[in-house]
């Protein structure tokens, strides 16, 4: 059994800025972008006052998204709904695209999930400073006591790292596990039919490789991918929502004389 688990292949390198590598992940991200653009165009080009079945489903999904954002972040934060929806769609489509066996799952690359997590963290820091002020934001690192400052700083740094590794680890781990089981079943098939002549053994299909790998792929790529996309989006809503409380709960800014 010969199984190798490697990172994304490098197709070519653009010789600018020290070399920009175009990898499988880069191509997959481009494909995900094109897919979402085509879907967005096709689903919204013929909107009608009396919607058809497709438009009803799309409107229902958009309504569910806005309701989820409102319940989690508050009505005053509905402006973040398009970002949350884009993040969720990029995650789920990026995971499912790996089932084509043509593209590599974008979420199986740590650089992708880490980039999303860093964008979320920057948004949290920006809105904390915007809504509470720099002094209040920095003072928060010393609470509840000054001794906790190093731990609070580490916690702030660990937040995007934990988000990135959780999503990446589940998707990449599922791919590795599926590959290992597929290879083990191939070895089992060879062992069971090893007593047959080579010509006769070639007639039998790899029966032990039918069913189980497909089921695991559906679980890890479809179910687990959906769950991880939802968890990542929910965490983003919770973190950004905590930095954007209702206007009544924000400290009043002193007017300059």
């Amino acid at each position: 059994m010969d199984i190798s688990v490697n990172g994304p292949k490098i197709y070519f390198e653009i010789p600018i800025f020290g070399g920009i590598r175009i990898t499988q992940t880069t191509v997959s991200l481009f494909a995900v972008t094109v897919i979402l653009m085509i879907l967005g165009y096709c689903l919204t080009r013929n909107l009608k006052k009396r919607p058809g079945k497709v438009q009803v489903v799309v409107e229902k999904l958009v309504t569910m998204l806005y309701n989820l954002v409102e319940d989690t972040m508050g009505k005053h934060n509905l402006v973040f709904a398009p970002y949350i929806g884009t993040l969720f769609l990029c995650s789920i489509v990026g995971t499912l695209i790996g089932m084509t066996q043509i593209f590599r799952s974008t979420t199986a690359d740590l650089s992708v999930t880490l980039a999303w997590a860093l964008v979320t963290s920057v948004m949290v820091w920006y809105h904390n400073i915007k809504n509470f002020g720099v002094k209040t934001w920095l003072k928060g690192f010393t609470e509840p006591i000054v001794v906790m400052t190093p731990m609070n700083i580490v916690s702030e740094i660990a937040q995007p790292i934990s988000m990135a590794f959780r999503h990446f680890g589940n998707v990449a781990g599922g791919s590795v596990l599926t590959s290992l089981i597929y290879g083990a079943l191939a070895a089992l098939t060879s062992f069971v039919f090893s007593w047959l002549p080579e010509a006769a053994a070639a007639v039998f299909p790899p029966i032990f490789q039918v069913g189980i790998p497909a089921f695991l792929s559906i679980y890890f790529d479809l179910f687990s991918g959906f769950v991880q996309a939802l968890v990542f989006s929910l965490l983003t809503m919770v973190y950004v929502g905590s930095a954007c409380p209702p206007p009544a709960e924000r400290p009043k800014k002193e007017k300059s004389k």
Side-chain angles (χ1 to χ4, degrees):
M1 180 175 61
D2 183 17
I3 297 177
S4 60
V5 180
N6 301 312
K9 295 180 181 178
I10 300 174
Y11 291 132
F12 59 91
E13 184 173 320
I14 302 176
I16 57 174
F17 303 113
I20 300 177
R21 295 179 177 179
I22 305 300
T23 66
Q24 286 179 306
T25 303
T26 308
V27 175
S28 296
L29 284 171
F30 179 77
V32 169
T33 303
V34 172
I35 290 171
L36 292 179
M37 289 177 63
I38 293 174
L39 284 176
Y41 173 76
C42 294
L43 295 176
T44 59
R45 64 175 179 171
N46 291 320
L47 297 180
K48 302 177 182 178
K49 292 183 178 180
R50 293 185 177 181
K53 295 181 180 179
V54 175
Q55 185 175 336
V56 169
V57 173
V58 173
E59 290 180 353
K60 180 63 176 178
L61 292 175
V62 173
T63 302
M64 289 174 60
L65 169 64
Y66 273 80
N67 289 338
L68 179 61
V69 173
E70 181 177 351
D71 294 340
T72 307
M73 303 178 69
K75 191 173 183 178
H76 60 286
N77 284 323
L78 285 177
V79 66
F80 294 107
Y83 171 71
I84 299 299
T86 302
L87 189 64
F88 177 81
L89 289 176
C90 286
S91 177
I92 190 66
V93 176
T95 301
L96 294 179
I97 202 171
M99 298 181 67
T100 62
Q101 301 299 319
I102 300 175
F103 300 98
R104 175 185 172 88
S105 295
T106 59
T107 50
D109 194 323
L110 181 59
S111 61
V112 174
T113 56
L114 184 58
W116 294 345
L118 288 175
V119 170
T120 295
S121 294
V122 170
M123 290 177 62
V124 172
W125 298 334
Y126 168 78
H127 286 287
N128 268 322
I129 295 174
K130 178 183 177 182
N131 296 324
F132 299 100
V134 179
K135 291 183 178 179
T136 304
W137 178 60
L138 294 176
K139 185 180 178 182
F141 290 102
T142 64
E143 296 176 352
I145 55 177
V146 179
V147 182
M148 294 295 295
T149 301
M151 293 298 296
N152 289 332
I153 295 175
V154 171
S155 176
E156 197 73 16
I157 297 174
Q159 176 180 303
I161 296 176
S162 64
M163 289 180 64
F165 271 93
R166 180 187 293 107
H167 199 344
F168 157 76
N170 279 275
V171 176
S175 300
V176 172
L177 184 60
T178 303
S179 299
L180 291 175
I181 293 178
Y182 189 84
L185 292 175
L188 179 61
T189 301
S190 300
F191 174 77
V192 170
F193 295 105
S194 60
W195 57 276
L196 292 174
E198 185 175 350
V203 177
F204 290 90
I207 57 175
F208 295 108
Q209 293 175 275
V210 178
I212 296 179
F215 175 78
L216 290 175
S217 178
I218 292 174
Y219 172 78
F220 286 114
D221 292 333
L222 186 59
F223 177 74
S224 181
F226 177 84
V227 170
Q228 292 306 315
L230 181 61
V231 169
F232 197 95
S233 300
L234 286 173
L235 288 174
T236 299
M237 286 188 283
V238 170
Y239 292 145
V240 177
S242 64
C244 299
E249 299 180 9
R250 300 174 188 176
K252 295 182 180 180
K253 297 181 180 180
E254 297 182 359
K255 296 182 179 181
S256 57
K257 296 180 181 181

